[in-house]
Amino acid sequence: MSKSGSKVLIISGHPDLEQSYTNSVILEQMHGALDNVEIRRLDTLYSDYSIDIEAEQQALLSAQVVVLQFPFYWYSMPALLKKWMDDVFAFNFAYGAEGDKLKGKDLFLSFTVGGPQESYNPLGYNHFTIEQFLRPLQQTAYLAGMNYHKPVYTHSMVYIPGVYNKLEDVQARAANHANRLITDIQTIQNSAEEKIRRFVADWFAEFDQLPQGDEFFIQHLAPDVNWNMPEGKFKGHQGFSSWYEIARSTFKPGCDHQVEQIEVIKNESGYQVDLRIRMLAETFPDSQFNGEGINLLVNEIWQVSLDEHSAVTIHDYQVEPVIS
C-alpha cells in the first residue's frame, strides 16, 4: 500500500505489549504501511500510570487521524488507556467553553476481542453487541467534536498455547485487521477534505515567507474572489494584490501561522473551511503596529472548490479577529 497523508497518531493502550500476540502485530504492520505515523506505547511511557498530559495533548494537536489501539478488556478499554483518556481529554481541551482542540480530527477505535462473534448478541453469553458496549466512547468523540469512524475490531483473538486457538491463526487475523484499518485510514487521507487540509498547510507555509511575488496565491484564487480582511474588502486578483502589498509592508518575512482548528464542510457550492488561526509576527516600525511583535487570534472562513486534479480554488476568504 502506498504511503501518503497527514499525521496519524496511534495510542497503544495494551498494558504489556511485549506479551501481546495480536496488538503487536497490528502496530508493526501499521508502522510499516503508513507514512507520517507516531505510535505512543502507554505501557512503556507510563508504567506508573502518571500521564504527561501536556505531552499527550501536544501529540493529539499535531495529528489529524487518531487511532486508539487496545485489547477489549471487560467490555471496555484497559485501565491504563482509560486513565489516559480521563487525564488528557480535559476540560477546555476536549470539551467545555474553550474545549475545541480536537474538533474535526478523525477517530478510529481499533481493538481485539477474545470472545467469538456469536457471543455478542442478545442470545449469546455477552448479551449485547460490540457497538452497544462502545457507546460511551462514541459519545466521548461526539462531545469532543471528533469524526467518529466505524470501529475496526476482530473476534477470537485470544491465544493460549496448547489450550485455545493456534498462534498462526490469531496472527493471520491480526494481519487482516491491520489491513482493514490501513485501508480505512488511507480512504480518509485521500478524501477531498484531507486534500483541502493539506492545501491549507501549504498556503500558510508560503504566506509565512511573504515572498515578493504573489503568483503562488493568485493561482489558487478565483478571478472574482471576495477578500474580506480587517483592513477592508477587496475584489478579484487585483484586489488581492493590493491587500498583499499592505501585508508585506506590515509584517516581516518569517511569520508563524498556527492552525489551531480546522473543519471542512461540504456544501452545494463546494466546501466551507472554518479555521482558527494564531498569527505570530514581527512588524515594521512604520506599520500600524509600530514595529511591535503581534500574537493575533483570528477566525477564518473560506469557500473553496476542488477540481478533478485536486487543485483548490478559493472563492471567498473572510478573516475576523477573536476579541478576548
Side-chain angles (χ1 to χ4, degrees):
M1 296 182 180
S2 62
K3 296 185 177 185
S4 64
S6 57
K7 181 177 178 181
V8 178
L9 175 67
I10 303 176
I11 304 298
S12 170
H14 197 294
D16 188 1
L17 196 61
E18 298 299 328
Q19 301 301 315
S20 169
Y21 295 108
T22 56
N23 278 255
S24 57
V25 172
I26 293 168
L27 290 171
E28 181 178 358
Q29 197 158 322
M30 295 278 288
H31 184 267
L34 293 172
D35 193 20
N36 198 13
V37 61
E38 178 184 3
I39 299 175
R40 297 184 68 82
R41 283 186 53 177
L42 300 187
D43 63 328
T44 56
L45 287 170
Y46 308 116
S47 59
D48 61 354
Y49 280 61
S50 180
I51 310 294
D52 185 336
I53 297 173
E54 183 177 355
E56 297 305 310
Q57 289 180 343
Q58 287 301 314
L60 284 167
L61 289 173
S62 68
Q64 175 55 36
V65 178
V66 179
V67 179
L68 302 185
Q69 177 64 49
F70 58 97
F72 204 52
Y73 273 22
W74 285 108
Y75 313 109
S76 185
M77 57 176 58
L80 180 56
L81 182 56
K82 182 61 166 64
K83 179 70 161 53
W84 176 89
M85 181 168 283
D86 289 345
D87 290 356
V88 176
F89 278 46
F91 179 73
N92 278 344
F93 178 79
Y95 71 101
E98 301 176 13
D100 55 6
K101 307 304 185 294
L102 302 178
K103 186 176 181 182
K105 295 184 184 295
D106 297 291
L107 178 67
F108 287 92
L109 303 179
S110 169
F111 54 95
T112 56
V113 184
Q117 182 175 354
E118 59 269 20
S119 69
Y120 286 90
N121 64 61
L123 299 180
Y125 59 80
N126 289 311
H127 300 296
F128 301 96
T129 66
I130 291 290
E131 285 72 17
Q132 287 173 318
F133 286 120
L134 294 180
R135 283 178 180 171
L137 295 176
Q138 185 174 1
Q139 173 55 26
T140 298
Y142 291 158
L143 183 64
M146 304 181 79
N147 301 320
Y148 180 82
H149 294 280
K150 183 178 180 181
V152 177
Y153 57 90
T154 305
H155 289 279
S156 300
M157 295 291 262
V158 169
Y159 169 61
I160 303 175
V163 177
Y164 190 73
N165 280 329
K166 295 180 179 180
L167 179 59
E168 58 267 28
D169 290 341
V170 296
Q171 291 191 329
R173 285 194 282 271
N176 177 267
H177 177 117
N179 284 331
R180 288 187 286 129
L181 181 55
I182 291 165
T183 297
D184 287 351
I185 290 172
Q186 290 182 333
T187 297
I188 294 296
Q189 292 181 322
N190 292 322
S191 67
E193 290 81 0
E194 181 57 27
K195 292 173 182 176
I196 292 170
R197 290 189 183 101
R198 294 179 208 163
F199 169 76
V200 169
D202 291 341
W203 174 274
F204 285 119
E206 183 72 15
F207 186 82
D208 283 343
Q209 304 310 311
L210 287 167
Q212 183 173 357
D214 59 8
E215 295 82 6
F216 171 84
F217 307 104
I218 292 294
Q219 68 178 323
H220 294 293
L221 299 179
D224 60 346
V225 64
N226 294 308
W227 199 260
N228 299 320
M229 310 296 285
E231 296 84 3
K233 295 184 178 181
F234 304 84
K235 184 74 173 181
H237 289 177
Q238 185 58 51
F240 171 82
S241 294
S242 298
W243 172 83
Y244 187 63
E245 285 306 310
I246 296 173
R248 291 191 71 249
S249 65
T250 302
F251 307 112
K252 294 181 179 181
C255 304
D256 182 12
H257 282 78
Q258 300 175 358
V259 181
E260 295 191 353
Q261 183 180 318
I262 179 170
E263 184 175 13
V264 180
I265 306 164
K266 185 172 177 55
N267 55 29
E268 292 181 356
S269 54
Y271 298 87
Q272 179 174 308
V273 186
D274 294 342
L275 296 154
R276 177 73 57 84
I277 305 294
R278 184 174 298 279
M279 179 185 181
L280 307 176
E282 298 296 324
T283 64
F284 290 107
D286 57 352
S287 71
Q288 61 175 312
F289 298 104
N290 300 313
E292 295 182 359
I294 66 166
N295 182 336
L296 182 64
L297 189 64
V298 300
N299 288 328
E300 299 193 5
I301 301 176
W302 303 6
Q303 181 62 43
V304 307
S305 60
L306 194 69
D307 69 15
E308 65 273 14
H309 304 295
S310 300
V312 175
T313 299
I314 301 174
H315 300 268
D316 193 272
Y317 194 119
Q318 301 183 35
V319 175
E320 182 178 343
V322 175
I323 306 300
S324 58

